[in-house]
Amino acid sequence: MAPGSTIRPAMVNIGGRGVRASALGLILALVLCAGALRAMRSVLYGVSVYDAPTILFVVLILASVTLIAGTVSTLRIARIDPAQTLREE
């Protein structure tokens, strides 16, 4: 955090980068997953190739882990006192 900055812009700045990177990763993974599932069609038994509930469950789990990790890291950064940091450096 910069001196004079408020917590909200700092959290949006730090957390926004992580959320955007994760969203891009999830989109890219879904595109690659669609191609890989076609190749794995002969290997999967008892599960349809495009099993929507499974794919949705994985996407939701990954998104929730990303949000939790981003929130924890931004809250830790928000607790840093910029004046104290400047005095120590």
Side-chain angles (χ1 to χ4, degrees):
M1 269 182 49
S5 171
T6 61
I7 292 174
R8 182 181 170 119
M11 289 182 74
V12 169
N13 188 19
I14 300 299
R17 291 180 186 170
V19 170
R20 281 191 298 273
S22 297
L24 180 64
L26 280 173
I27 291 168
L28 182 62
L30 286 173
V31 170
L32 292 174
C33 175
L37 285 177
R38 287 185 185 178
M40 294 180 59
R41 183 174 289 177
S42 63
V43 180
L44 296 174
Y45 297 107
V47 178
S48 67
V49 176
Y50 298 108
D51 189 24
T54 303
I55 293 173
L56 181 64
F57 179 73
V58 169
V59 168
L60 289 176
I61 292 293
L62 291 175
S64 64
V65 168
T66 299
L67 288 175
I68 291 169
T71 303
V72 169
S73 64
T74 55
L75 288 176
R76 288 182 66 198
I77 290 171
R79 281 189 260 152
I80 296 173
D81 182 23
Q84 177 85 19
T85 305
L86 288 173
R87 277 187 238 123
E88 292 175 358
E89 303 261 335

